[in-house]
Amino acid sequence: MERFLNVPCGELQVPCKIYEPGYGEITRVVIGVHGFGGDKDSSVIAAIGEEMGFYKTATVSFDFPGHGDSPMPARTLNLKSATDSLMTAVELARRIFPRAEEWCVFATSYGAYVTLLAMDELKEKLGHIKLALRAPAVRMAETFLTMARLSEEQFLKKGRVVCGYDRMMEVPYSFYEELATHNAMANYDMPMMILQGDRDDIVLPHDVEFFRLLNEQSKLVLFPGTDHRFKGEGELDMIVDLARDWFLCEDVLLSEWQ
């Protein structure tokens, strides 16, 4: 069963999507956090929501400003509005599923970056979190320049850039400036599972491997021959299986890991 809600948060409007089984009490919630240019209707989040529904689990996803069905223009996207959107989805989940005992997050690329920077606040709200990251943009400033195919000097000169997938966004240089002052390459002192394609040319594998070394409790699963979008045959099924096992057991059962 799917539900759609448009949740106010100050001046923000945060479109949210809820996947939940049609029976039984919800004891676990997954928060799905999409990447830059993605949205709450991510095929990966949808597949995880469907699978986790067999385990008394609801999945809540949402749109960042400037993404998906968000009425907010791209110029309102910054670290505060992104974090506020994430926390709005969390508070919605806590309100709708007050008996949930386990909290999980599946976050991709830019969404992983925002999630990591908001981790202290998330832990304060939710306690222990089972965290799964796909191609986490731990050096988001460099990742954004790669996505935009610009150097820092070129971006500064242009002042703004138009980018995106289904919804094109006009992103100002100030967005990059904020990214450059907030680096997620740090130790978070918690278990996490990281999924990374070894052919990713957006989020570079060596950055993710260094991030894993900083986080001794993390487990890194490298997908051979996989790029940033994980669209190869069987890759979606593998992501779902790995996410399910992590959220149920906090372990990697179906693949080798580092």
Side-chain angles (χ1 to χ4, degrees):
M1 184 171 65
E2 299 177 6
R3 284 195 277 167
F4 297 86
L5 295 169
N6 205 26
V7 185
C9 174
E11 296 181 355
L12 291 176
Q13 291 289 328
V14 184
C16 296
K17 186 174 185 178
I18 303 171
Y19 304 85
E20 58 185 314
Y23 56 89
E25 185 175 58
I26 300 300
T27 60
R28 182 186 298 106
V29 176
V30 176
I31 305 296
V33 193
H34 68 77
F36 189 89
D39 55 51
K40 68 184 181 306
D41 299 309
S42 156
S43 59
V44 175
I45 295 174
I48 290 173
E50 181 178 358
E51 176 68 17
M52 293 304 298
F54 293 108
Y55 302 94
K56 298 181 180 180
T57 303
T59 297
V60 178
S61 60
F62 65 97
D63 287 327
F64 283 125
H67 292 71
D69 296 319
S70 172
M72 313 302 297
R75 67 175 179 273
T76 64
L77 179 64
N78 52 45
L79 187 55
K80 182 180 187 306
S81 66
T83 302
D84 286 348
S85 298
L86 169 59
M87 299 311 299
T88 297
V90 167
E91 290 295 344
L92 173 68
R94 292 179 68 195
R95 186 168 70 249
I96 295 178
F97 306 111
R99 296 186 181 276
E101 299 173 350
E102 294 186 28
W103 292 90
C104 313
V105 176
F106 184 92
T108 295
S109 195
Y110 173 72
Y113 167 79
V114 173
T115 298
L116 289 169
L117 293 182
M119 190 51 63
D120 286 346
E121 187 175 358
L122 286 168
K123 287 181 178 179
E124 182 179 340
K125 296 284 187 182
L126 303 176
H128 179 73
I129 297 167
K130 295 182 178 180
L131 178 63
L133 306 176
R134 177 167 72 108
V138 289
R139 296 188 189 277
M140 186 61 205
E142 291 82 353
T143 295
F144 186 79
L145 291 179
T146 301
M147 293 172 62
R149 298 182 180 180
L150 291 172
S151 67
E152 181 180 356
E153 293 76 16
Q154 288 171 325
F155 196 2
L156 175 61
K157 185 175 181 180
K158 289 172 66 73
R160 60 194 65 249
V161 64
V162 176
C163 54
Y165 298 107
D166 294 333
R167 176 175 173 176
M168 301 306 291
M169 296 174 283
E170 188 175 88
V171 181
Y173 181 76
S174 59
F175 176 76
Y176 166 78
E177 285 184 305
E178 186 178 47
L179 298 180
T181 59
H182 293 84
N183 197 328
M185 184 71 81
N187 174 268
Y188 293 89
D189 193 27
M190 64 183 293
M192 65 182 82
M193 178 180 68
I194 307 166
L195 310 179
Q196 177 67 34
D198 69 357
R199 298 291 179 89
D200 193 333
D201 60 356
I202 303 295
V203 173
L204 301 182
H206 65 76
D207 285 341
V208 174
E209 290 173 353
F210 184 69
F211 177 74
R212 187 203 68 78
L213 292 174
L214 289 176
N215 290 272
E216 295 181 354
Q217 299 181 67
S218 66
K219 296 185 177 182
L220 169 62
V221 179
L222 284 174
F223 283 57
T226 298
D227 63 14
H228 187 64
R229 303 197 72 186
F230 287 77
K231 295 292 187 182
E233 182 178 354
E235 290 175 353
L236 176 59
D237 290 340
M238 179 60 76
I239 290 171
V240 171
D241 288 345
L242 288 165
R244 177 199 62 224
D245 293 345
W246 187 257
F247 295 150
L248 296 180
C249 309
E250 210 160 22
D251 203 357
V252 177
L253 304 179
L254 299 175
S255 181
E256 295 182 355
W257 53 271
Q258 299 180 16

